[in-house]
Structure formats: structure tokens, C-alpha cells
Amino acid sequence: MITLTKEDGPADLDGVTHLSLGVSWDPTAGSSGGMLGKLRRKSGTDLDLIAVALQGQDPVRLAGLDSLDPMGNGSLVHSGDNQTGHGDGDDETVTVEFARIPPHITSIVFIAAAFKKGSSFQKARNISFKVYDATGGSSQQVADIWPSLLTQDNGCAVAKVVRVDGTWKLTVINTTGKIKQGDEHALMRFATSK
């Protein structure tokens, strides 16, 4: 297992036919104790993993939120919205089947966001991203990406897969920024800036 960083540069995905990226987090009560803290832990924290498919610099499809199969062919699939962060393993995942991605799609940007109003990175702990090689039908974790928790931002561009001469490469972005909550256009602008 390796931890990928921006400094590692692009990772060649030759031989990888299916790639999954998952996010997990633990809900926290923040500085609240007592009954209010227990209620916050019980209700959890809503982070969202979103994949934005780009044609050049133009966003054309979004997987996540309420769109689970935006291509309609199973090539870019979201696992569904976890609104609490409760449970073991990944809270949300996006799986890419490279051979079925339409040829005009040049890249896919993976973003984690506190997208819904009232949600916040500061209300989540132990945020981590896991990269899986899902080739052959079983998922094997091959890497971790750990973002900095010292941020007041509500969005993190985690990674990007880019089509290069018929093959795909994975680059860690791990850059945070502010996204207007509830605004899908702001989310897509954030993706295209990466």
C-alpha cells in the first residue's frame, strides 16, 4: 500500500480496466459535548464524492449527488449518497470502466465537497481517499490519498484521470477551495480549474 501525493506525478494505469475511488470520514460533534454533541454525532456529517467528466475544459457529465450513472452505460458509476459518514469502509465510491468511457471524454476530476448547505469539512474527522484497482471483478486497494485537515474550505479536488494517447493516467491534485454550497455550476467550475 502506498500513499499518493501531488509530488509523485502521474501514475500510469496501463492494465487497469476498472478504477474505483472511495471516500470515508468519521462524523464528529466538533466542540459540542453533552446532548447537542450526541445529536450531532448521531445525525452525522454529509460529505459528497463527485466525479466530473470533462471534454477538454468543458464539464459534460457529473456522477454523484443524485446522478448515479450519468453516461447511461455503466462506465462512470456512483455508489449513492451517504449523508452521515456512519459505517465501516468507504462511505461513497465512484467506479470508472475505462473501455466504456466515450472517446470524447478527455479527463475525469474527483472532488469531495461539503456541498449541501450546513455541511462542513470541519464537522468530519479522518477524511481519507482510497484508490482501488477493480480489474477482474474484485477491488484491491492500491493507494491512499490523505488530504490536509487544516482547511476552512468546503471542497477538495482529490485526483484526476486523464486520457493520454489512448491510455489513462492518475494524478493526485489534493487541492482545497471554496465552492458555493448547493450550486452545481460552482462545483463544475471548481473541477475545470484543476
Side-chain angles (χ1 to χ4, degrees):
M1 186 72 53
I2 59 169
T3 299
L4 293 174
T5 65
K6 290 191 266 192
E7 293 74 28
D8 293 327
D12 201 341
L13 297 177
D14 270 350
V16 177
T17 62
H18 295 67
L19 179 85
S20 291
L21 192 131
V23 63
S24 63
W25 68 93
D26 297 329
T28 175
S31 59
S32 301
M35 185 57 75
L36 189 56
K38 286 181 184 175
L39 287 173
R40 284 193 180 139
R41 271 191 299 275
K42 188 173 183 182
S43 64
T45 302
D46 188 5
L47 299 184
D48 294 292
L49 179 63
I50 298 139
V52 180
L54 303 172
Q55 180 178 340
Q57 285 298 306
D58 189 24
V60 293
R61 290 290 184 270
L62 182 143
L65 305 175
D66 59 359
S67 178
L68 303 184
D69 184 7
M71 303 289 189
N73 67 356
S75 64
L76 183 64
V77 177
H78 194 282
S79 63
D81 188 15
N82 180 324
Q83 298 184 7
T84 65
H86 290 296
D88 294 332
D90 295 320
D91 296 307
E92 296 187 16
T93 60
V94 172
T95 301
V96 181
E97 185 178 345
F98 292 115
R100 296 172 78 180
I101 293 288
H104 62 277
I105 301 298
T106 55
S107 62
I108 301 166
V109 178
F110 300 92
I111 296 169
F115 184 69
K116 295 183 181 104
K117 291 182 180 173
S119 57
S120 164
F121 275 6
Q122 289 75 40
K123 294 178 184 172
R125 234 186 231 133
N126 302 325
I127 302 169
S128 68
F129 305 101
K130 296 177 181 72
V131 180
Y132 299 92
D133 180 350
T135 302
S138 63
S139 290
Q140 177 183 355
Q141 185 181 349
V142 293
D144 285 306
I145 302 170
W146 290 1
S148 171
L149 298 178
L150 289 175
T151 180
Q152 297 297 311
D153 294 331
N154 67 335
C156 178
V158 180
K160 182 179 195 175
V161 289
V162 179
R163 193 190 303 257
V164 179
D165 298 327
T167 64
W168 291 86
K169 297 187 183 299
L170 172 73
T171 302
V172 173
I173 303 170
N174 203 3
T175 301
T176 63
K178 294 238 186 274
I179 300 170
K180 183 177 179 185
Q181 289 182 317
D183 184 341
E184 282 190 20
H185 286 229
L187 184 69
M188 289 185 275
R189 281 192 299 274
F190 182 70
T192 60
S193 70
K194 307 305 169 208

